[in-house]
């Protein structure tokens, strides 16, 4: 018998068979009970102020190859309790101080017949519950999870703000419905995507936002998704019980495990106040502390880019139409005729650099700069890009020097087309190339199906890939903004060079037919729970045909709404996505985008209702200024901003960028008015918001 | 319409509908006819001196997704003929000059209804036929091969020397049978392997060796396997027609293609003389010329290693038995108890270095030097090795300096456990580590199932991986000896840093129960057609229990046979695989291993019969000495060596290391006798060879 087993057995000798345990949150409002049922199946339930949030729900796993499941026949051999309270400083964020305060209970379970040890660790915060499974070192070392059986038993037929569960995309428009209607509405909730794999007619994604008939807001997600597959939820419409549905690998297996190891945390945030969901830091707190020694190179960034013109179809990523396909290193572009629509030309990029410099933006993103875009998509092409070879009309060195002379950073773009092996093969040279030419950040992309074939965007294999890229980027002091990657789960606490993700419907869909007008009143409750989104707001021209006559899409928002998003949709990376010529038409409104910070000292969540409206006030990390933002849903509404968050005794000048009375996302989206007002901490201000509207307010201290 | 299509159409305008074409080899002995049948299906047939070698056989492909197959409705739009004759110098090889001489016919086919263009290029040499499919630039760009339908129609129920077709291993013992018996014998031809996927009861591997009742020897293989999946053969026992069976990917697809592209060459070598099969250079000639500018760093190498003691179970790769599994970077080996069986200790390795220096070996291989061997195998473990972190008892720097002081090179070992992504992630650091510590060559290994899961050792994905490693190694001036990788197809012409492969049953199986005594009389006709094998001969102690009392295996060969293999089994990388203590018991015989070169100026294939015997004479590249080697099959036999290859007028001293009269692989394998004899080009010498026996002769010029 080997050494470590002996140690464990000694531990067991002192273990007691405790069958029920209660854990309370620091403020006592939440209470969690852990039990084993008569089959020895672990179960938990959660109450808030005595009212049930999660009914009794089972925990466990099915294993591959008919191995006895990790589901029942458990007994409790130890229960360890502790408390934790610390305040940490994020590198960037909605606030400069984050308190991590919880009571913890770790239940060590032993399975009869197998002697396997499984620990379930619960952390109960004042904002909700996190728990995970842990497998300490033991003879039971390697196992393959066929299904994770974590349940979240709902107390009723709640209202849910959901997108369809899918192993490859989250780029769906949100549906608001009763849980009991998910199955009926599922088909209509699925739109086309370059890579998509819905798995069940009652499957939904996390973070899942819900509201009970009693006005309780509940959010289910996960934290610290590392070397495991992403969790979705599958609803039993009869019982209103959600069961976890992991993302399978090519064999249909969910995760390969080796003890000692843990799963990610499963999180339940709940409150009677919707704003508390937005204010929760539980997801970050459940992640590991900062893994980097030096973070001075990680800088919140406001940027413009040669991008919206491609999304709208005005210009192209590709350089030539001469060939149906190219072969990197073999195709000689110098012999091919340019297509006259290529966006990333040196001259055009310099115009963007000029605009960025003129208006004080930190950086310029350029897509379509590198060879390979002629046939980058949909061909399961392995060697699709090399990430270092520019098109003949893109002068890397000249642009580098020009940008440098204007004190503007360039943002790199690495579309992988889902070809993860190819990207990993080129990572070092691509990052070295970036460092050579002054690029500090890269937008990565994973459009289309993943290579290796059969793997999904959200499976363990690919999750491992994103993490590899993130950690490798950190070695090079490079910031990552990953599009089409798995949705974030607070990883940015540990690796704050993950300054952005897409992983939801971004503004681009406004050029693909449009999203619902209340889209941005839901995202902060769902997608943003795990980390910031590179949403790319700031579209001033909603009639896309004015950008590209062949595109009849319409942006379903008002101009004032777009301004509000810079506050509502927190991100350390914010784009002003529209074309410079559109900003030049509305320079007075553009002023708000120029002024709004991308890093904050304090955030106040003034009012919020998922699908309805969100109003947030944030204080600049580097000045005494505050900024207030609102995104409004489909119905016109008047928001009341209570400025009590301002410092007493100080005077401020508020500049209010709001919808005009006749504004409407559909037929009058550019109707805004800009007014100013002196405000103090006593001021209450009514601001009208149009359907699909919103507002932005800058609040600057005056002498 | 884009530019390139116009160009092709102009070409078509001059095309003629030619329905039958004949091609002859330079010496006129071979004739190949190309035809289209009434369905427009391309067909070929091959004759040698008027006798059929391959009967009329169809060519083509099935495509994925019900795309119209590339099988019929073709017409000939062009036929291009040319001849080629050049002599090139391999970096290493069986001879210093290789003539590449063939007549070529490229038939351009156009498919009715699709306008797809497919070229079939035939090259007819004096030793056989090579042909491949080519897809020039056209609108038909991306396609997925569901099946390659290349046929090889046999003229009768030949005798075949075969191993079972398998997508993951070639480590099977050979079966000699009629073609008609393959199906009946298939089950018994399959033994256990760490990764194996037989695909059909009549499936066999290439290179496939056959002999007709008329005494014609036929060999079918492939050349230049790059970015495509390896070809096997599946027999229709009714018709005696082999059809190509490619290795599928995880979806069951065979190859992803993007025009312009080509398949590998399909090769048929044929002769009435078995020795001509061994002498054929067609496989190399069909590969691309040298891709490297400088090859001065590629050096044929004779080595010993800390390896056989692990294979026999005398010592272990792993360092500790304390844990059932380890986690690289987390497991602290310094806290674990060594298991006392670990082979790769500094002191032990230095003993090997001493032995290598004492006996003039170039290098020492050490396996099990790096962390991770405790649970390296069978767990589908992703991060299994990092290739740079030694065990606590292996002093990388000290060993480097010690070996350098003794003028001995160290050979690196990179077992990947099939985890190809992990290996690629670490390739740069692993190769940099090698260069830092003076390692010029690496033995790579792919034991177990491939990661990514569902891919096979011989599929396009993994073939692409091996090639990536080979090319990356070339950048670092590192030589590769890849075990469990796809069998070679002459790639070493282009990348001669591929100095070895395993990809067949090597000597290790003699410690796992034994291979048939005539194994090494077949391998040169099969596995070695595509390139050298790191067979690791030189075992002097056949009773494995004398090495490890717990291992009752027996090596099925005589000691003299082992000497002969250094000549018979050509490789620029030759191991003396046994333990130093076993060599010390037979230092007179060991002398042959010490003297035999690993690079040659000329080779003479004196006599050969697959499964029976092989006798080869080779002239040292760096002296006037010759070496003769023989491997004998199961029946005792007297070989007659005709020394007519020696230079006229010169005198030589032959030292003959032969089986004693009473030698037998089974019960008297160490019975050898060493005699000397003066020889000239007129000498004929009878040498007795025991069952499982053989001999080695050194022939040194005397004044």
């Amino acid at each position: 018998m080997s050494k470590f087993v002996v140690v464990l057995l000694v531990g067991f000798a002192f273990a007691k068979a405790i069958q029920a345990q209660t854990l309370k949150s620091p403020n006592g409002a939440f209470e969690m009970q852990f039990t084993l049922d008569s089959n020895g199946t672990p179960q938990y339930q959660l109450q808030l102020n005595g009212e049930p949030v999660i009914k009794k729900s089972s925990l466990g796993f099915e294993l591959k190859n008919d191995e006895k499941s990790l589901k029942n026949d458990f007994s409790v051999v130890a229960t360890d309790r502790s408390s934790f309270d610390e305040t940490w400083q994020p590198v960037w964020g909605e606030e400069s101080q984050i308190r991590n305060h919880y009571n913890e209970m770790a239940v060590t379970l032993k399975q009869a017949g197998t002697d396997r040890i499984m620990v379930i660790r619960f952390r109960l915060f004042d904002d909700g519950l996190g728990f995970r499974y842990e497998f300490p070192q033991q003879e039971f070392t390697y196992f393959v999870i066929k299904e994770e059986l974590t349940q979240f038993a709902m107390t009723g037929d709640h209202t849910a703000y959901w997108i369809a569960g899918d192993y490859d995309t989250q780029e769906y428009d949100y549906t608001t419905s009763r849980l009991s209607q998910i199955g009926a509405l599922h088909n209509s909730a699925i739109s086309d995507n370059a890579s998509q794999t819905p798995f069940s007619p009652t499957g939904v994604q996390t973070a899942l936002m819900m509201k009970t008939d009693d006005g309780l807001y509940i959010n289910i997600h996960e934290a610290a998704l590392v070397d495991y597959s992403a969790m979705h939820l599958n609803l039993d419409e009869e019982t209103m019980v959600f069961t976890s549905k992991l993302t399978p690998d090519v064999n249909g297996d969910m995760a390969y495990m080796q003890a000692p190891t843990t799963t990610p945390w499963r999180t339940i945030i709940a409150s009677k106040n919707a704003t508390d969901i937005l204010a929760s830091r539980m997801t970050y707190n459940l992640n590991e502390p900062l893994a980097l020694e030096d973070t001075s190179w990680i800088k919140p960034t406001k940027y413009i880019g040669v991008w919206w013109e491609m999304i709208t179809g005005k210009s192209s990523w590709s350089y030539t139409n001469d060939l149906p396909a190219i072969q990197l290193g073999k195709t000689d572009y110098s012999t091919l005729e340019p297509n006259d629509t290529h966006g990333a030309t040196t001259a055009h990029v310099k115009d963007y650099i000029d605009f960025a410099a003129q208006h004080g933006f930190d950086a310029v993103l350029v897509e379509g700069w590198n060879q390979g875009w002629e046939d980058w998509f949909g061909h399961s092409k392995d060697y699709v890009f090399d990430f270092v070879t520019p098109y003949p009309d893109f002068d890397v060195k000249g642009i580098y020097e020009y940008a440098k002379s204007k004190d503007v950073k360039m943002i790199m773009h690495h579309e992988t087309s889902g070809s993860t092996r190819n990207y990993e093969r080129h990572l070092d040279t691509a990052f070295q190339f970036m460092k050579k030419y002054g690029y500090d950040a890269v937008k990565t992309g994973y459009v289309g199906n993943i290579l290796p074939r059969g793997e999904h965007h959200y499976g363990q294999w690919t999750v491992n890939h994103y993490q590899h890229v993130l950690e490798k980027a950190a070695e090079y002091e490079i910031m990552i903004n990953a599009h089409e990657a798995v949705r974030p789960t607070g990883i940015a606490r540990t690796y704050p060079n993950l300054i952005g993700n897409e992983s939801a419907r971004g503004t681009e869909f406004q050029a693909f037919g449009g999203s619902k007008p209340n889209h941005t009143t839901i995202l902060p409750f769902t997608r943003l729970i795990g980390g910031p989104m590179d949403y790319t707001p700031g579209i001033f021209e909603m009639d896309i045909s004015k950008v590209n006559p062949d595109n009849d899409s319409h942006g379903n928002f008002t101009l004032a709404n777009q301004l509000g998003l810079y506050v509502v949709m927190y991100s350390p990376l914010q784009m002003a996505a529209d074309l410079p010529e559109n900003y030049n038409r509305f320079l007075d409104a553009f002023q708000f985008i120029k002024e709004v910070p991308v890093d904050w000292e304090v955030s106040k969540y003034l009012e919020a209702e998922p699908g309805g409206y969100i109003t947030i006030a944030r204080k600049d990390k580097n000045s005494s200024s505050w900024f207030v933002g609102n995104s409004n849903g489909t119905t016109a509404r008047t928001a009341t901003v209570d400025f009590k968050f301002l410092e007493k005794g100080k005077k401020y000048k508020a500049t209010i960028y709001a919808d005009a009375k006749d504004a409407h996302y559909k037929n009058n989206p550019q109707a805004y008015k800009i007014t100013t007002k002196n405000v103090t901490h006593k001021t209450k201000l009514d601001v009208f918001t149009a359907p699909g509207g919103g507002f932005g307010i800058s609040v600057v201290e005056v002498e």
Side-chain angles (χ1 to χ4, degrees), chain A:
Chain A
M1 182 174 290
S2 59
K3 199 162 61 179
F4 72 96
V5 177
V6 176
V7 173
L8 281 177
L9 288 176
V10 170
F12 299 163
F14 295 95
K16 293 164 286 180
I18 297 161
Q19 297 295 316
Q21 294 288 332
T22 295
L23 180 67
K24 290 199 174 197
S25 60
N27 65 2
F30 277 106
E31 184 175 307
M32 194 280 300
Q33 292 91 31
F34 174 81
T35 51
L36 288 173
D37 75 3
S38 57
N39 295 319
T41 302
Q43 297 182 314
Y44 76 103
Q45 52 191 313
L46 180 67
Q47 296 91 35
L48 175 58
N49 295 317
E51 297 295 321
V53 178
I54 305 286
K55 294 198 297 181
K56 194 171 277 190
S57 299
S58 295
L59 301 167
F61 300 92
E62 295 281 357
L63 301 187
K64 196 184 179 182
N65 296 332
D66 297 326
E67 271 201 90
K68 181 181 169 78
S69 66
L70 282 164
K71 190 178 172 183
N72 41 38
D73 297 341
F74 283 106
S75 61
V76 174
V77 292
T79 302
D80 296 306
R81 289 167 178 280
S82 63
S83 292
F84 190 83
D85 190 1
E86 75 166 10
T87 298
W88 55 280
Q89 291 74 41
V91 174
W92 44 256
E94 297 178 75
E95 53 195 359
S96 60
Q97 306 277 335
I98 293 179
R99 186 177 181 190
N100 185 10
H101 188 200
Y102 57 81
N103 291 329
E104 177 174 293
M105 182 171 77
V107 184
T108 300
L109 302 169
K110 184 179 179 182
Q111 188 176 41
T114 67
D115 283 357
R116 295 167 182 160
I117 300 296
M118 179 169 80
V119 177
I120 306 179
R121 187 176 302 273
F122 297 92
R123 288 185 180 168
L124 198 46
F125 301 77
D126 288 343
D127 41 350
L129 174 69
F131 63 88
R132 71 178 181 188
Y133 304 87
E134 302 182 353
F135 301 91
Q137 181 94 61
Q138 55 191 305
E139 283 292 349
F140 175 62
T141 301
Y142 285 100
F143 57 100
V144 181
I145 293 174
K146 192 174 159 192
E147 293 289 355
E148 180 181 323
L149 304 173
T150 303
Q151 290 183 345
F152 304 86
M154 298 296 103
T155 58
D157 189 12
H158 306 332
T159 298
Y161 310 83
W162 59 274
I163 52 177
D166 194 296
Y167 299 145
D168 283 295
T169 188
Q170 293 209 319
E171 293 179 354
Y172 292 131
D173 217 1
Y174 281 91
T175 300
T176 301
S177 80
R178 294 277 181 179
L179 294 178
S180 57
Q181 290 301 302
I182 289 174
L185 295 168
H186 209 265
N187 269 346
S188 62
I190 295 175
S191 50
D192 283 347
N193 196 275
S195 177
Q196 60 189 146
T197 313
F199 58 83
S200 157
T202 56
V204 296
Q205 311 239 7
T206 74
L208 175 65
M209 189 66 210
M210 289 173 286
K211 183 181 183 183
T212 73
D213 286 349
D214 294 337
L216 179 71
Y217 298 90
I218 305 172
N219 186 286
I220 300 177
H221 192 35
E222 65 179 314
L225 172 60
V226 177
D227 201 18
Y228 199 79
S229 62
M231 181 183 76
H232 314 277
L233 298 173
N234 200 22
L235 179 69
D236 181 330
E237 290 178 303
E238 296 298 313
T239 60
M240 294 297 157
V241 173
F242 283 110
T243 302
S244 56
K245 181 70 183 178
L246 302 182
T247 307
D249 80 350
V250 69
N251 295 326
D253 301 320
M254 299 303 172
Y256 278 70
M257 308 294 279
Q258 181 199 339
T261 191
T262 71
T263 68
W265 297 90
R266 280 65 187 92
T267 61
I268 301 150
I269 307 170
S271 175
K272 286 272 186 172
N273 298 313
T275 52
D276 288 346
I277 309 296
L278 302 178
S280 172
R281 304 290 174 250
M282 214 181 80
T283 311
Y284 281 121
N285 281 330
L286 287 168
N287 274 268
E288 295 298 310
L290 187 64
L292 310 177
E293 288 189 18
D294 175 22
T295 59
S296 61
W297 50 275
I298 299 173
K299 294 189 172 127
T301 300
K302 196 157 44 174
Y303 72 106
I304 61 170
V306 184
W307 174 76
W308 184 248
E309 56 185 83
M310 293 143 175
I311 288 292
T312 54
K314 174 182 164 73
S315 69
S316 67
W317 285 272
S318 64
Y319 171 81
T320 180
N321 300 334
D322 269 9
L323 295 174
I326 65 99
Q327 295 185 344
L328 290 176
K330 295 179 183 168
T331 301
D332 181 0
Y333 278 96
S334 71
T335 65
L336 302 174
E337 197 182 335
N339 57 18
D340 292 331
T341 57
H342 183 222
T345 67
T346 300
H348 194 49
V349 169
K350 286 185 176 175
D351 288 344
Y352 271 78
I353 292 170
D354 289 341
F355 186 83
Q358 182 187 346
H359 294 287
F361 283 85
D362 301 306
V364 175
L365 164 76
V366 183
E367 298 204 355
W369 67 276
N370 58 324
Q371 296 186 5
W373 287 92
E374 285 67 24
D375 58 334
W376 70 284
F377 167 68
H379 304 297
S380 203
K381 186 176 182 178
D382 195 327
Y383 185 28
V384 55
F385 292 112
D386 72 3
F387 312 100
V388 296
T389 309
Y391 280 129
D393 55 355
F394 185 88
D395 174 8
V396 175
K397 187 156 179 289
I399 286 167
Y400 161 61
E401 286 164 356
Y402 190 77
K404 196 173 178 185
S405 76
K406 298 274 182 170
D407 201 19
V408 169
K409 284 281 180 184
M410 298 301 297
I411 297 180
M412 176 50 71
H413 183 230
H414 289 168
E415 174 57 49
T416 69
S417 192
S419 185
T420 64
R421 178 172 72 175
N422 180 60
Y423 190 38
E424 292 197 15
R425 285 179 176 177
H426 291 86
L427 261 189
D428 277 294
T429 50
F431 286 165
Q432 286 157 11
F433 179 89
M434 283 178 61
K435 299 310 278 189
K436 180 175 177 186
Y437 292 111
Y439 293 81
D440 298 330
V442 57
K443 172 182 175 178
T444 60
Y446 295 89
V447 172
N449 290 333
I450 292 293
L451 286 177
R453 294 179 187 97
E455 294 294 342
H456 293 293
H457 281 74
Y458 305 153
Q460 184 181 23
W461 181 270
T462 320
V463 165
N464 182 307
H465 164 81
Y466 306 130
Q467 188 69 23
H468 175 74
V469 173
L470 182 61
E471 294 184 21
K472 176 76 82 175
E475 291 172 21
Y476 283 94
E477 302 192 343
I478 283 172
M479 296 175 275
I480 294 281
N481 166 24
H483 282 227
E484 296 92 22
V486 71
R487 76 283 189 277
T489 56
I491 298 286
R493 178 185 179 187
T494 315
Y495 289 96
N497 60 317
L498 182 61
I499 53 168
N501 270 114
E502 186 182 43
S503 310
R505 271 199 162 204
T507 300
E508 64 186 14
F509 277 86
Q510 304 287 0
F512 301 162
S515 295
K516 292 193 182 83
N518 69 347
H519 189 55
T520 53
T521 67
I522 297 174
L523 284 174
F525 287 101
T526 55
R527 165 63 185 76
L528 268 60
I529 292 295
M533 178 172 179
D534 183 31
Y535 186 72
T536 69
I539 300 303
F540 281 12
E541 180 52 70
M542 297 71 182
D543 179 355
I544 308 302
S545 72
K546 291 193 175 162
V547 177
N548 171 19
D550 296 333
N551 187 335
D552 62 358
S553 288
H554 185 83
N556 293 324
F557 45 75
T558 69
L559 193 151
N561 166 278
Q562 293 291 290
L563 302 184
L565 295 186
Y566 288 88
V567 180
V568 169
M569 300 274 286
Y570 167 69
S571 176
L573 183 75
Q574 288 283 22
M575 186 178 202
D578 210 338
L579 309 181
E581 54 257 46
N582 288 330
Y583 291 132
N584 283 332
R585 291 162 56 202
F586 306 97
L587 283 174
D588 56 351
F590 188 53
Q591 186 64 29
F592 184 83
I593 299 179
K594 290 169 65 171
E595 287 181 14
V596 68
V598 286
D599 202 12
W600 307 99
E601 186 178 305
V602 170
S603 289
K604 300 289 180 185
Y605 303 86
L606 304 184
E607 53 171 10
E609 177 66 23
Y613 53 85
I614 296 175
T615 310
I616 301 175
R618 306 189 197 267
K619 180 176 175 300
D620 184 9
K621 204 171 192 173
N622 303 304
S623 78
S624 61
S625 297
W626 285 75
F627 289 78
V628 185
N630 166 283
S631 177
N632 187 45
T634 312
T635 310
R637 180 174 173 275
T638 295
T640 302
V641 179
D642 184 341
F643 284 92
K644 64 183 177 186
F645 51 81
L646 294 176
E647 197 172 333
K648 283 180 190 171
K650 288 198 171 172
K651 295 177 181 174
Y652 299 83
K653 179 185 163 196
T655 307
I656 302 134
Y657 304 74
D659 291 317
K661 277 288 170 195
D662 58 347
H664 192 290
Y665 73 86
K666 194 167 265 174
N667 48 33
N668 197 19
Q670 291 167 330
Y672 63 91
K673 59 173 185 178
I674 303 173
T675 56
T676 61
K677 185 179 169 67
N678 292 324
V679 297
T680 70
H681 81 284
K682 291 181 179 167
T683 307
K684 287 190 170 65
L685 182 70
D686 285 345
V687 189
F688 170 75
T689 59
F695 59 80
I697 308 175
S698 67
V699 189
V700 182
E701 189 181 350
V702 290
E703 298 305 311

